[in-house]
Amino acid sequence: MAIEGEVDHVVDVTDVKATAAAVAQVKPDAIVHLAGLSSVADCSRDPMRAFQINAGGTLSVVQAVLGLKAPCRFLLVSSGEVYGAAAGPGPMNESLLPDPMNVYGATKRSAEIIALQHRHQGLDVVVARPFNHVGPGQTPTFVLPSFAQQLAKVPRGASVTLEVGNLSAVRDFSHVLDIVEAYAVLLEKGVKGEVYNLGSGVGRSIESMLQLLIARSGRQVTVTVDPKRLRPVEIPTLVGGIEKAKALGWAPKHTVEQALADVLAEMERNNPV
Ligand code: GDD
C-alpha cells in the first residue's frame, strides 16, 4: 500500500540496470536493504538462486547507491545465522569470527563482505545482524507462525495435533517492532563500517516457545515430530550479545509473550473457525 507522499517502486534486485534506474529515480538519503530470501530451508533448496538474490542482489543495490554519487546511508540487514558453527552456548558479540553452517548464513555473510568491501569505495555502510524476530505478517514458513497457524485451524477448547521440527534448538526471539526500531537507530547513529547484533540477548528453546503458545491458545494439543521439518544441519544455540547496539541508545521494549500473542491473534483472524 502506498502511503501519501511516498512512491512505490517494485524492482528485482538481481536486475542490475532496473535497480540502478529505480535508485537513481528515488535518490534516497538512506536504504534499508532487506530484499532477499529469508528462509533457511528455502535457501538450502536452491543455493544458486539464494546466492544470486542475497549476495548478487546486495551487490546490485550497493552499485546503484554508489552510482548516485551523493550521500546515502546503506543499512545491510544480515543475520545472526552468519555465526553458525562459531556460536557457543551464551550470547556472542560481534568480534566473533562468523562460520556459517548453511546456505542462508553463507549468502548473508557474502552480502556483508560485499557491502563492507565497498566502504573502501566510499559506501556509508552499517551492518545489522538481527536474530529471530516475530510478529504479525511473518509467514508460516517460520516456526512460530507455523505453530500458531496450526493452532488457529481449530476453535479454542478443541483438540489439535501439532506438527513440529526440532524443539531443542535455542534461539534469541524478539518482537519485530524492536528490530525495526533498531534499524532506525542504526540509520541515525550506527558507525560506518560497523556490525551490530540485534536481538533480546536471551536464549529460549523452541520447546519453551511452543509451551507459551499452547498455554495462550486455549487448545488441547498433541505434539508430533514431522521428520520433514527437521534440518540436516542445525545450529544448536544462537543468541546475540546486544551491548553494542544498546550503547547507541536502543533497547528492546516488547516481550516475546506480546509477539506470540500478536502472531496468534493474526492467525485466528485469518483462519476463522
Ligand atoms: N520453520 C520451522 N518450522 N522451524 C522449526 C519447526 C517448524 O515446524 N520446528 C522447529 N523449528 C526450529 C528450526 O529447526 C530452527 O531451529 C528454529 O525453529 C527457528 O526456525 P525458523 O523460524 O525457520 O527461523 P530460523 O532460525 O531458521 O531463521 C530466522 O532467524 C534468522 C535470524 O536468527 C529467519 O527469520 C531468518 O531470516 C533470520 O535471519
Side-chain angles (χ1 to χ4, degrees), residues 232-253:
V233 179
E234 178 87 287
I235 305 167
T237 302
L238 206 52
V239 185
I242 53 171
E243 296 314 312
K244 192 170 167 184
K246 281 171 108 176
L248 298 178
W250 166 81
K253 293 188 190 122

Side-chain angles (χ1 to χ4, degrees), residues 38 40 79 104 130 132 141 143 165-166 169 171 206 229 231 234:
S38 58
V40 168
S79 169
Y104 173 75
N132 300 55
T141 310
V143 63
N166 175 16
R171 292 291 180 270
I206 306 300
R229 290 172 181 257
R231 295 182 181 172
E234 178 87 287

Side-chain angles (χ1 to χ4, degrees), residues 38-63:
S38 58
S39 156
V40 168
D42 285 352
C43 287
S44 296
R45 270 190 283 275
D46 193 345
M48 185 60 81
R49 182 162 173 264
F51 274 97
Q52 281 162 348
I53 295 172
N54 291 359
T58 297
L59 179 58
S60 160
V61 181
V62 161
Q63 286 176 334

Side-chain angles (χ1 to χ4, degrees), residues 123-148:
L123 186 71
D124 179 17
V125 55
V126 175
V127 174
R129 284 185 187 151
F131 288 70
N132 300 55
H133 43 292
V134 291
Q138 195 182 29
T139 68
T141 310
F142 301 96
V143 63
L144 299 175
S146 166
F147 294 170

Side-chain angles (χ1 to χ4, degrees), residues 125-207:
V125 55
V126 175
V127 174
R129 284 185 187 151
F131 288 70
N132 300 55
H133 43 292
V134 291
Q138 195 182 29
T139 68
T141 310
F142 301 96
V143 63
L144 299 175
S146 166
F147 294 170
Q149 187 186 50
Q150 294 180 63
L151 290 165
K153 284 190 171 155
V154 303
R156 282 182 180 259
S159 300
V160 58
T161 299
L162 209 109
E163 293 186 343
V164 303
N166 175 16
L167 296 183
S168 68
V170 172
R171 292 291 180 270
D172 175 341
F173 285 97
S174 300
H175 198 297
V176 63
L177 293 175
D178 284 327
I179 302 298
V180 171
E181 194 174 302
Y183 295 157
V185 171
L186 291 184
L187 283 176
E188 265 191 49
K189 299 185 189 161
V191 176
K192 178 180 171 181
E194 291 292 322
V195 175
Y196 297 87
N197 289 341
L198 302 176
S200 69
V202 179
R204 296 167 189 269
S205 68
I206 306 300
E207 168 77 46

